[in-house]
Amino acid sequence: MKPQQIPQQAAQSDHEFDKHHHHHESQADDHGDENHLREYTAKELRSIKIQGVICLIGGIALHFVLGTFYLWGGISPYVGAYMKDRDESVTQSTLQIIFPILGIGLFSVLSFGVKLAQRIGYKTMIALGGSIISLAFLILSFINNIYAFILIYCFMIGIPSGLVYMLPIICGWKFFPFNRGMVSGLIIAGYGFGAFIFNFVCKAICNPNNVEPSVSFEEDGKQKKYFPRDVFKNVPFMFQMMALSYFILTIIATLLIKYPRDLHLEYQSVLGDGVKKPSGINHEKSIDYHPTVLHAECESLSQGIKSRPFWFLIVMVLCSVIFGLLMANCYKVFGQTLGIDDSSLTVLGSVQSVCNGGSRFIWAVLFDKYGFKKLYLVISVINLICSASIGYINNSYAGYFIILCLTMFCEGGLLSCYPAVSAKVFGHKVGPIIYGGLFFVIGLSNMLGYLLYKFGEPEIGYNGVFWIIFGFCSVAFILGVFFKEEHEWKKEKR
């Protein structure tokens, strides 16, 4: 079937928008729309598809590296015992601050990575980001000071991870502009499976015999148990093996990921009759496609910030993700208080990582079909049930397993739907800026959960902390009931 061309006027409109926002990826774009309107032969399309699949494999490899974000909850008890041996002032809560700082570092730079890659090249950015993360783990294997450890872990891993997070997804969208939800879902699934695999690797290195924490220390008036020397002595070797593994994965990703600057499939019908526009844009903004806007939308950031949906979303994000992030950080520490052994907790941590990362593709598809509000309310109800019941599971591994996996499944839905609803409510110009801010709020929510754990748990116990979290989830649900996805944007006076 011969591909069809879109109307010249629409192409020019999109092209002018590109020029206005400086999103050109090749100088050829500066000379007209001939690349946008080019028709590809069947042989070329087959070759492009093969290159696209190779690019997706590279993207999954890179997200295996970035999945170290959710790995911290699994390795923190090993690291805690290792640091406690060198400095008795180190406490469990000292180490748990790493996860929220790591999140703030990652989320705060998420929107800058694509812009930087446009300047220095996608491959260069991916190689640098992955290499810095690998180097960080190598350095960590020689660090004995807790503050130096926190600094290196949070910033040498968090910031590079945020800068390269979107790059393989953007590259995949160029090859498959009509399957953007699929591309995003497959690559981000690597994020969850990376933590899944390396959870088992780290446990096999540090605690192959499933030794239980047995060394007691008094912290905040309570007895806290740490792993013995037979376990924590393996922490440096664990970091070295992680550094080597991540470096190899970075090389694979750098070789396979490619940004095809002059490829413009979005203006050509390659999957059926008629002209199709990319679907499934549920994770991040595409830098190369700007659909012609046929309805009024938010015209400026100041107009968006003054609007009711903006403040609703800020509080909804803050209150809705706090439970999942807290459990991702502390699931092993809390699980140990339930008497669950390290091997079982490792399995649980790996499965919940898959539930988090792997669910995002499912939620992206559901978002297209049912919209944000319905999904958000369903997730909010599940979070209410889980946060209210987790303190009463009476040392049940099965109960803890179900609650944590459900929570992480919902967390994946929230993190995939917030960017999409931002673009839907605020439009293609202001929406990306808004959800960049929402990701920063996610980092703040992560820190808030940590503060509740650090200062609340010694005074009111885990049960009390969970009931406070239940209050946050209640606020999230109530705001979701009154949230409106459609907003009447009025023309600003110039």
Side-chain angles (χ1 to χ4, degrees):
M1 181 184 304
K2 185 178 179 179
Q4 301 177 14
Q5 295 182 344
I6 66 166
Q8 184 74 12
Q9 183 180 1
Q12 288 174 347
S13 173
D14 285 352
H15 182 62
E16 289 303 316
F17 186 91
D18 280 348
K19 289 170 68 176
H20 179 67
H21 286 268
H22 305 288
H23 281 149
H24 281 304
E25 278 302 313
S26 69
Q27 292 185 356
D29 291 343
D30 293 329
H31 304 297
D33 298 311
E34 59 272 13
N35 285 331
H36 288 180
L37 297 177
R38 179 187 168 191
E39 297 181 2
Y40 297 89
T41 65
K43 184 177 180 180
E44 287 176 322
L45 291 175
R46 282 195 297 271
S47 176
I48 290 169
K49 185 175 182 179
I50 292 172
Q51 293 177 52
V53 171
I54 292 172
C55 181
L56 290 182
I57 295 172
I60 293 171
L62 180 63
H63 271 250
F64 264 57
V65 176
L66 306 186
T68 186
F69 178 74
Y70 283 108
L71 185 63
W72 174 249
I75 65 174
S76 60
Y78 308 141
V79 178
Y82 179 76
M83 287 296 173
K84 188 79 170 180
D85 182 65
R86 283 147 182 78
D87 182 358
E88 285 199 10
S89 66
V90 173
T91 64
Q92 287 183 354
S93 61
T94 306
L95 270 296
Q96 301 312 129
I97 198 174
I98 286 179
F99 189 69
I101 297 178
L102 184 69
I104 290 175
L106 189 154
F107 292 127
S108 63
V109 300
L110 207 61
S111 60
F112 298 110
V114 176
K115 295 179 182 178
L116 192 55
Q118 290 172 7
R119 291 181 175 273
I120 69 173
Y122 281 73
K123 283 184 178 290
T124 303
M125 272 287 293
I126 289 169
L128 281 174
S131 297
I132 292 172
I133 293 171
S134 303
L135 179 62
F137 279 105
L138 182 61
I139 295 173
L140 289 172
S141 69
F142 300 103
I143 295 293
N144 294 321
N145 180 274
I146 183 60
Y147 299 106
F149 184 93
I150 292 173
L151 186 68
I152 291 170
Y153 200 103
C154 291
F155 294 102
M156 281 191 70
I157 296 175
I159 291 177
S161 295
L163 290 174
V164 302
Y165 182 94
M166 275 306 301
L167 302 189
I169 298 174
I170 294 292
C171 294
W173 283 350
K174 288 288 285 183
F175 288 103
F176 301 100
F178 305 104
N179 303 100
R180 299 192 179 202
M182 177 201 72
V183 168
S184 302
L186 286 174
I187 292 176
I188 294 176
Y191 202 73
F193 278 98
F196 174 86
I197 292 172
F198 283 101
N199 250 322
F200 287 111
V201 171
C202 292
K203 196 265 178 185
I205 293 174
C206 283
N207 193 12
N209 298 319
N210 200 28
V211 176
E212 291 302 300
S214 57
V215 183
S216 294
F217 292 91
E218 185 176 336
E219 296 176 8
D220 302 316
K222 297 182 179 181
Q223 291 296 315
K224 304 285 186 179
K225 290 187 177 181
Y226 287 80
F227 283 107
R229 177 175 294 276
D230 286 348
V231 174
F232 70 70
K233 70 178 182 180
N234 300 315
V235 167
F237 181 64
M238 175 189 74
F239 281 137
Q240 291 163 8
M241 289 298 97
M242 290 170 69
L244 178 61
S245 301
Y246 288 157
F247 186 66
I248 292 172
L249 287 168
T250 297
I251 292 174
I252 294 172
T254 305
L255 292 174
L256 299 186
I257 297 174
K258 175 184 177 182
Y259 185 83
R261 295 181 176 274
D262 297 323
L263 182 64
H264 297 282
L265 292 176
E266 50 270 73
Y267 294 102
Q268 180 173 357
S269 175
V270 292
L271 297 181
D273 294 328
V275 177
K276 291 188 177 182
K277 292 183 179 179
S279 61
I281 309 176
N282 289 323
H283 298 275
E284 291 291 340
K285 171 193 174 190
S286 169
I287 62 168
D288 53 85
Y289 180 80
H290 307 283
T292 303
V293 180
L294 300 177
H295 57 85
E297 62 173 29
C298 184
E299 292 187 322
S300 67
L301 180 58
S302 62
Q303 186 186 29
I305 291 175
K306 294 174 185 176
S307 69
R308 180 178 175 179
F310 173 79
W311 293 105
F312 262 61
L313 280 174
I314 289 291
V315 181
M316 286 163 66
V317 170
L318 186 74
C319 295
S320 63
V321 300
I322 187 171
F323 181 50
L325 292 172
L326 174 65
M327 295 314 299
N329 189 9
C330 302
Y331 77 91
K332 258 198 177 181
V333 176
F334 176 63
Q336 288 171 354
T337 68
L338 299 177
I340 303 173
D341 64 85
D342 190 48
S343 181
S344 298
L345 288 172
T346 298
V347 172
L348 173 55
S350 296
V351 174
Q352 62 97 4
S353 295
V354 173
C355 289
N356 188 332
S359 70
R360 301 189 188 194
F361 176 71
I362 298 173
W363 288 111
V365 174
L366 292 175
F367 179 92
D368 284 340
K369 187 172 183 180
Y370 297 107
F372 170 76
K373 186 169 182 174
K374 290 180 181 178
L375 297 187
Y376 179 84
L377 291 176
V378 169
I379 290 173
S380 297
V381 170
I382 295 174
N383 276 338
L384 284 170
I385 295 171
C386 290
S387 60
S389 58
I390 190 171
Y392 302 95
I393 53 179
N394 298 324
N395 299 348
S396 168
Y397 177 63
Y400 190 42
F401 192 100
I402 292 171
I403 287 175
L404 195 61
C405 288
L406 272 175
T407 301
M408 291 302 120
F409 186 81
C410 291
E411 194 77 1
L414 291 170
L415 295 180
S416 65
C417 288
Y418 279 132
V421 74
S422 300
K424 180 177 180 180
V425 174
F426 297 95
H428 68 288
K429 289 194 294 185
V430 179
I433 304 173
I434 295 293
Y435 68 62
L438 294 184
F439 273 119
F440 183 72
V441 175
I442 291 172
L444 293 180
S445 181
N446 197 354
M447 179 61 75
L448 179 60
Y450 163 75
L451 294 174
L452 283 174
Y453 160 75
K454 178 175 175 57
F455 297 107
E457 190 272 333
E459 300 296 328
I460 58 178
Y462 279 106
N463 249 21
V465 172
F466 291 140
W467 277 114
I468 294 175
I469 296 294
F470 176 84
F472 278 94
C473 293
S474 299
V475 173
F477 174 77
I478 293 169
L479 290 178
V481 171
F482 294 100
F483 180 75
K484 294 182 180 179
E485 293 181 64
E486 304 296 332
H487 186 75
E488 200 63 41
W489 298 103
K490 297 180 180 179
K491 275 281 188 184
E492 287 188 331
K493 294 182 180 180
R494 302 286 179 186

